Amino acid sequence: MPNGLTRLGWAIALGLVGAISLELTVRIDDWAQFGVPLAASEVSLDELSVRDSLGVHARAGTQFRQFRINSLGFRGPDVPSPRPAGAEVIVTSGASETFGLYEQAGGEWPQQLRLRLAERCTQPILVLNAAFAGMSLPTVRQDLAKRILPLQPSAIVYYPTPMQYLGEQLPEAAAPSFDPIKPPARWRSRATPRFRDAVKRAVPIPVLDFLRVVDTRRNRAKARVEVSSIVPVDRLDAFELDLRGLVGDLKRAGVRSVLAVHQNRFTEVSSAESQRYLRAWERFYPRFTGVTIRQFDSLAAERTKRVAIDSAVQVVDARQALRASAVPVFADFSHFNDAGAAIVGGEIARELAPTLCGLGGRST
């Protein structure tokens, strides 16, 4: 019996040493790759957001892997204080396509926009990325009114995610909370989610595709809805109405606005690769087929351009530039990789520079 207890004690001790070593290795790796403090407690992207009296937005002073939120609550590096004399402040807003999911740190299109504008303008350029994953258009309007407009930006660039209007309910503004903000937990394992991600990456693509199909079927059965292949025009109307409301908000505030047309990877839907990504898209909007989601996105793009024309605001449609690329530009069905983000940032900079940089701009 004593020998058995001794072996059990050694096994427990070795297990603890292994777990501690793995956790420390992950934290050192995060610090070496992304500059994440060893003691940082955030273990997922969701923990970088906060709900307070202003609504839902990024939580200031937090970081998870390459996703760093500065002291003002925007993704990216800290803003100089005081603001440089003559600096132009550009605010970008939207959901995950604008926040950036798959790009390396600094590769998301708002930071690419900053770099391209800096090449064209002589005055200092500050780009504040106010987007966050899942941020709906009504929540963006609320965020602009309560948090962004008081900063007196020179221009606001909005990149919509129209498919949010294909959810079970229409998007609404996030309800503010006046409760004290709870700080993140002091400590949790960062090794556990890293291990889950590694396992997911190791799953063969056909198996992963099958699991997505099963998950989508489960969601559809739970919702008890018939899958529709008809584009819901009433949802397009709701998207357009909210978009017009946002443009009107900015016009009344006297702020220059730019609308960017939402992009997706699909130039066709017949290939095996396209079918796989369409099935992945369906997981998020199980009430509709992947083809219908794509059609809705295309029609919403035309609505976006119509709103811009009717309201006499600038609009950027990067589809032609993205399709002309010799390298892949999407990491999934609608989120950019580094190359795609660089193209979108460059297209928006080309539209903004002539009026933003004025006589001080450089032609490139």
Side-chain angles (χ1 to χ4, degrees):
M1 183 66 70
N3 289 338
L5 289 175
T6 300
R7 287 194 295 270
L8 178 61
W10 274 109
I12 293 174
L14 288 173
L16 288 173
V17 170
I20 293 172
S21 299
L22 179 60
E23 183 67 31
L24 185 59
T25 299
V26 168
R27 288 175 178 262
I28 291 175
D29 183 57
D30 283 346
W31 170 76
Q33 282 197 75
F34 311 119
V36 181
L38 293 178
S41 60
E42 291 80 15
V43 298
S44 71
L45 188 61
D46 292 339
E47 295 179 1
L48 302 188
S49 68
V50 64
R51 184 190 298 270
D52 58 18
S53 61
L54 302 178
V56 171
H57 54 86
R59 183 192 292 261
T62 55
Q63 184 173 1
F64 170 67
R65 297 184 185 172
Q66 74 267 34
F67 309 105
R68 181 175 182 270
I69 310 302
N70 66 25
S71 59
L72 295 180
F74 301 100
R75 184 179 180 189
D78 280 319
V79 177
S81 182
R83 184 187 300 180
E88 298 284 359
V89 178
I90 314 300
V91 174
T92 65
S93 192
S96 52
E97 297 92 337
T98 302
F99 181 79
L101 288 186
Y102 298 100
E103 304 91 335
Q104 64 180 344
E108 61 275 15
W109 72 255
Q111 287 304 311
Q112 295 296 324
L113 169 64
R114 178 184 63 82
L115 294 174
R116 300 291 83 79
L117 286 175
E119 294 171 354
R120 291 173 164 83
C121 303
T122 56
Q123 68 269 47
I125 300 293
L126 300 177
V127 175
L128 306 179
N129 187 352
F132 197 79
M135 209 169 191
S136 69
L137 201 167
T139 299
V140 167
R141 291 182 66 185
Q142 176 179 265
D143 191 49
L144 292 176
K146 294 188 173 185
R147 194 170 69 103
I148 307 304
L149 290 180
L151 298 176
Q152 298 181 318
S154 305
I156 289 176
V157 183
Y158 178 58
Y159 185 103
T161 303
M163 298 80 63
Q164 292 175 335
Y165 285 77
L166 293 178
E168 185 175 353
Q169 303 293 332
L170 286 173
E172 295 180 348
S177 172
F178 298 92
D179 296 331
I181 298 175
K182 296 181 180 180
R186 287 180 177 273
W187 188 91
R188 279 161 305 161
S189 172
R190 276 195 245 158
T192 301
R194 180 75 68 88
F195 177 75
R196 287 198 300 265
D197 290 346
V199 170
K200 184 177 179 180
R201 288 195 297 270
V203 174
I205 289 178
V207 175
L208 189 61
D209 191 29
F210 172 75
L211 293 175
R212 286 170 175 163
V213 171
V214 170
D215 187 50
T216 301
R217 288 175 179 171
R218 185 186 301 115
N219 291 337
R220 286 170 174 167
K222 184 178 180 181
R224 297 180 180 179
V225 295
E226 293 292 331
V227 181
S228 176
S229 58
I230 300 174
V231 174
V233 177
D234 60 323
R235 296 301 182 95
L236 279 171
D237 292 341
F239 164 71
E240 181 178 339
L241 182 63
D242 285 345
L243 190 60
R244 288 185 183 276
L246 180 143
V247 172
D249 294 343
L250 298 181
K251 276 186 171 292
R252 285 187 291 273
V255 177
R256 178 187 296 117
S257 56
V258 178
L259 297 181
V261 173
H262 186 268
Q263 307 293 320
N264 64 64
R265 72 176 298 121
F266 303 101
T267 57
E268 49 78 31
V269 294
S270 59
S271 68
E273 182 183 53
S274 292
Q275 287 293 315
R276 177 163 59 88
Y277 280 112
L278 283 173
R279 286 191 292 270
W281 219 2
E282 287 177 354
R283 288 182 62 220
F284 297 92
Y285 312 101
R287 298 171 67 246
F288 298 92
T289 66
V291 172
T292 307
I293 298 169
R294 174 178 177 258
Q295 292 172 339
F296 185 91
D297 196 24
S298 297
L299 292 172
E302 299 308 312
R303 297 285 187 110
T304 301
K305 291 193 284 189
R306 185 167 74 185
V307 170
I309 292 171
D310 291 347
S311 304
V313 301
Q314 294 170 289
V315 62
V316 178
D317 186 350
R319 276 179 288 189
Q320 184 175 352
L322 289 167
R323 291 172 182 172
S325 173
V327 298
V329 292
F330 288 96
D332 62 9
F333 40 81
S334 67
H335 296 95
F336 305 112
N337 58 21
D338 287 5
I343 291 173
V344 172
E347 290 297 299
I348 295 174
R350 187 174 295 110
E351 179 68 28
L352 259 179
T355 52
L356 182 69
C357 302
L359 296 177
R362 293 187 291 265
S363 176
T364 59

